[in-house]
Amino acid sequence: MAKLSDWQRFKKAATFHGIAALALILLWAAADTWYVVTDLSIAGLLSVIMALVAGAWLSSLVHEWGHFTGARLAKSYSPIVPEIRGVFMFGFNHAKNERNQFLSMSLGGPIANWSLVLLILLTLPMDNLGRAALLGITTAKAISVCIFELPIISRVMNGADPEAEIETQLNNGSQDKGTVIGYLVGGLVWLIAA
């Protein structure tokens, strides 16, 4: 079997993730429409559940594509992985990339997450629980990402080693703290938006 070029792997990743994103959006939109048209409680519940599932997965997809975009804009060595499984799609070799390339790659993820939150705010009226849940979960994910990644970015900007800072952040409970704070704020956003 012939080895695929980076461009061919990119097209494969874009297709795989594009289909997944479209399916998630359509499933949530179908549940939302069912609720809007019928006002059935079961439809409302399904709309909320699908908003949480779709929002969580879309946040992860957008986040990884944001990292990838940041890496490529900085001309980083960031090859697409041979097999796309889940949301992870590229490698970032610290030895082959410079600090500014790491920072560009790192900033891309949180920027993408907040762009998704803004897109939802600007395009969807917050007039039912499902739509508010979509805003809440994407906000929760954006906050969680920032709590984990912004300290790394800050310390690397001040001269710290990127790999060491990632390792520190992975071992100091920041992921759990970010998740808890993110979901608490996301729940609050949901309640306010609903």
Side-chain angles (χ1 to χ4, degrees):
M1 185 169 163
K3 192 173 180 180
L4 298 177
S5 70
D6 190 63
W7 175 246
Q8 290 168 317
R9 292 192 311 269
F10 171 81
K11 290 192 299 187
K12 191 175 175 181
T15 300
F16 177 74
H17 286 157
I19 290 170
L22 183 60
L24 289 165
I25 292 166
L26 289 175
L27 286 169
W28 171 77
D32 181 64
T33 301
W34 183 29
Y35 177 64
V36 168
V37 170
T38 66
D39 202 31
L40 293 171
S41 296
I42 188 72
L45 177 63
L46 185 61
S47 174
V48 169
I49 291 169
M50 280 311 308
L52 295 174
V53 171
W57 276 93
L58 287 171
S59 292
S60 295
L61 279 175
V62 165
H63 181 77
E64 290 308 315
W65 277 89
H67 279 318
F68 176 74
T69 302
R72 290 293 169 105
L73 286 173
K75 300 185 182 345
S76 303
Y77 178 74
S78 52
I80 304 289
V81 297
E83 285 299 318
I84 305 299
R85 293 191 177 102
V87 297
F88 298 107
M89 57 178 277
F90 76 102
F92 187 86
N93 187 316
H94 292 275
K96 293 184 178 182
N97 290 305
E98 297 174 5
R99 181 179 310 278
N100 65 333
Q101 291 170 314
F102 173 81
L103 290 169
S104 179
M105 181 273 298
S106 296
L107 284 167
I111 289 169
N113 280 106
W114 286 108
S115 297
L116 178 61
V117 171
L118 186 60
L119 179 67
I120 290 167
L121 271 171
L122 294 176
T123 60
L124 288 177
M126 292 295 125
D127 56 2
N128 68 43
L129 288 175
R131 293 173 184 179
L134 188 63
L135 178 62
I137 191 68
T138 55
T139 302
K141 291 292 193 175
I143 289 169
S144 176
V145 158
C146 287
I147 289 171
F148 179 76
E149 294 188 12
L150 292 183
I152 296 170
I153 293 166
S154 175
R155 292 190 297 260
V156 170
M157 284 177 148
N158 289 311
D161 175 63
E163 285 182 285
E165 292 307 319
I166 291 170
E167 193 63 32
T168 297
Q169 211 63 354
L170 286 171
N171 293 321
N172 70 7
S174 293
Q175 282 183 307
D176 294 335
K177 178 182 173 185
T179 299
V180 169
I181 293 171
Y183 282 124
L184 287 173
V185 174
L188 185 60
V189 167
W190 181 25
L191 292 174
I192 291 169

